[in-house]
């Protein structure tokens, strides 16, 4: 289970750093193991290596080739964070998502508008809250993920419209909380969401997803496995609508509250999308999961049809998902 393991890991890390930080990092540095990560501490009080998260990211060299573990002490960090494409192998980690918050409040004006933008490959995010407080009225992205081989664990993404721009690349989200109203998971990545909670704050006309696959040849789409869908009202949101004509979304073994509209899916006012969108459900439960009332162009998947969507091989995860580092080396910036 991810959360208990994380709590234990950070409790031990905090104890070692608090009692004898120099001895800890020196001992870790003595092992030149490839699995050892460079430890960088962000602390608003000035007791770490940096006060701001972006400063810690900026200090990582371009074309980085070793794991860098940026440990963010609890606090509310009012800043925009960009992990650029030339800085792979970075982990941003809090100790607890509730106490480690990255926040901003800006509508979508440019690619620099999101609160956090992940453009690098081989990135990991853990135990973070990332939010955009702009509110209603326009797209306002909390998190944009456009790097390949990106994973988030036990984190929270909070906004209203387009909360999570799951833009491009292969991604994995485990035990995350995602909140919004309009198309609040959107983009054209190939992603697996496992044991996540999706919470709609829409009062009417909401949509959990807006996936943007534009052709049958594109290997993109969203799979939701063992997730939970909730909302603030009954029949207030559809499972998805096609941002791209070949939009592909599957929900499997997922609990759906009565927030899900009976029809399940929407064609975004274009009947042509019904011919090409791939929207499927498999063995879901809860009052919003009754497929008898679904639009006739969605799919009630067979076990064979669902099989490709319900394992990490959907995102080639067996090749790139990795455990947290077990050893650390001193930051020498």
């Amino acid at each position: 289970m991810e959360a208990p393991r994380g709590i234990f890991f950070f409790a031990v890390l905090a104890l070692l750093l608090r009692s004898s930080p120099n001895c800890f990092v020196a001992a870790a540095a003595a092992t030149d193991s490839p699995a050892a990560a460079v430890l960088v501490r962000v602390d608003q009080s000035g007791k770490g290596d940096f006060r701001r998260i972006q400063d810690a990211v900026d200090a990582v060299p371009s074309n980085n080739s070793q794991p860098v573990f940026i440990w963010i002490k609890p606090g509310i960090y009012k800043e925009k964070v960009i992990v650029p494409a030339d800085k792979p192998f970075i982990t941003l980690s809090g100790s607890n998502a509730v106490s480690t918050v990255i926040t901003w409040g800006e509508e979508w004006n440019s690619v620099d508008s999101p609160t956090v933008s992940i453009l690098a490959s081989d990135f990991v995010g853990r135990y973070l809250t990332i939010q955009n407080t702009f509110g209603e009225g326009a797209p306002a992205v909390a998190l944009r993920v456009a790097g390949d081989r990106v994973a988030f664990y036990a984190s929270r993404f909070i906004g209203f419209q387009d909360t999570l721009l799951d833009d491009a690349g292969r991604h994995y989200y485990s035990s995350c909380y995602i909140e919004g109203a309009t198309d609040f998971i959107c983009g054209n990545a190939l992603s697996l969401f496992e044991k996540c909670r999706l919470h709609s704050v829409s009062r009417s006309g909401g949509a959990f997803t807006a996936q943007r696959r534009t052709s049958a040849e594109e290997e993109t789409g969203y799979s939701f496995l063992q997730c939970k869908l909730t909302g603030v009202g009954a029949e207030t949101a559809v499972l998805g609508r096609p941002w791209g004509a070949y939009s592909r979304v599957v929900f499997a073994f997922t609990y759906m509250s009565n927030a899900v509209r009976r029809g399940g899916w929407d064609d975004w006012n274009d009947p042509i999308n019904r011919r090409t969108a791939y929207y499927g459900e498999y063995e879901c439960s809860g009052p919003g999961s009754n497929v008898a009332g679904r639009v006739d162009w969605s799919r009630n998947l067979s076990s064979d049809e669902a099989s490709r969507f319900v394992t990490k091989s959907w995102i080639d995860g067996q090749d790139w998902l990795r455990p947290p580092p077990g050893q650390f080396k001193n930051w020498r910036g």
Side-chain angles (χ1 to χ4, degrees):
M1 299 294 292
E2 196 61 44
R5 183 172 64 187
I7 291 169
F8 174 77
F9 170 75
F10 284 109
V12 172
L13 179 59
L15 178 62
L16 288 167
L17 287 169
R18 186 164 59 245
S19 59
S20 184
N22 292 331
C23 291
F24 173 68
V25 292
T31 18
D32 266 340
S33 165
V38 175
L39 177 64
V40 183
R41 293 172 295 176
V42 177
D43 188 341
Q44 290 177 321
S45 71
K47 296 179 181 178
D49 301 299
F50 299 95
R51 291 177 182 267
R52 296 177 68 253
I53 300 167
Q54 188 62 56
D55 290 343
V57 172
D58 291 345
V60 176
S62 295
N63 304 312
N64 172 59
S65 61
Q66 61 180 322
V68 176
F69 192 97
I70 299 176
W71 184 35
I72 306 165
K73 295 293 290 293
I76 298 175
Y77 294 81
K78 295 182 179 179
E79 58 175 302
K80 287 196 289 187
V81 177
I82 299 174
V83 181
D86 65 346
K87 297 190 178 186
F89 304 111
I90 288 177
T91 294
L92 291 182
S93 183
S95 303
N96 180 298
V98 174
S99 63
T100 309
V101 179
I102 309 172
T103 183
W104 200 254
E106 183 176 322
E107 67 176 300
W108 180 271
N109 292 309
S110 71
V111 292
D112 296 327
S113 296
T115 303
V116 174
S117 298
I118 308 302
L119 311 181
S121 63
D122 299 291
F123 173 90
V124 176
R126 293 179 178 272
Y127 314 111
L128 302 168
T129 289
I130 299 170
Q131 65 183 23
N132 190 317
T133 59
F134 179 80
E136 303 180 34
V141 177
L143 173 64
R144 178 189 176 208
V145 186
D148 192 24
R149 301 184 299 273
V150 173
F152 276 90
Y153 299 89
S155 294
R156 304 191 307 160
F157 316 126
I158 299 173
F160 188 84
Q161 182 173 346
D162 300 355
T163 302
L164 171 57
L165 177 52
D166 191 58
D167 203 2
R170 292 167 291 177
H171 307 151
Y172 178 63
Y173 301 88
S174 173
S175 302
C176 292
Y177 173 87
I178 309 165
E179 178 181 296
T182 306
D183 307 329
F184 64 94
I185 302 174
C186 58
N188 198 22
L190 177 67
S191 298
L192 175 63
F193 298 78
E194 186 169 12
K195 297 180 180 178
C196 293
R197 180 181 171 191
L198 282 56
H199 183 68
S200 172
V201 295
S202 173
R203 296 291 177 181
S204 65
F208 286 94
T209 70
Q211 207 276 334
R212 201 180 186 177
R213 184 168 174 251
T214 58
S215 75
E217 288 70 40
E218 280 191 293
E219 287 298 325
T220 62
Y222 297 160
S223 174
F224 296 87
L225 175 63
Q226 295 182 328
C227 292
K228 184 176 183 179
L229 276 56
T230 57
V232 296
E235 295 203 46
T236 54
V238 293
L239 296 171
R241 58 180 187 163
W243 190 8
Y246 287 78
S247 180
R248 180 163 58 176
V249 180
V250 167
F251 288 89
F253 303 109
T254 288
Y255 174 85
M256 299 180 180
S257 75
N258 64 358
V260 176
R261 285 176 53 186
R262 193 169 307 173
W265 308 89
D266 183 85
D267 63 12
W268 213 323
N269 300 317
D270 187 350
I272 294 176
N273 289 331
R274 301 177 185 182
R275 305 175 192 170
T276 50
Y278 187 104
Y279 289 151
E281 299 168 64
Y282 179 71
E283 295 290 337
C284 294
S285 62
S289 68
N290 187 354
V291 296
R294 293 294 190 250
V295 295
D296 60 10
W297 45 276
S298 66
R299 303 164 187 251
N300 185 19
L301 301 176
S302 69
S303 58
D304 285 345
E305 290 172 322
S307 61
R308 65 177 301 203
F309 300 102
V310 297
T311 69
K312 292 182 178 66
S313 61
W314 163 247
I315 55 169
D316 305 317
Q318 70 280 1
D319 297 329
W320 58 270
L321 288 171
R322 62 187 189 274
Q327 298 176 320
F328 295 90
K329 297 187 289 187
N330 194 12
W331 168 252
R332 303 185 189 280

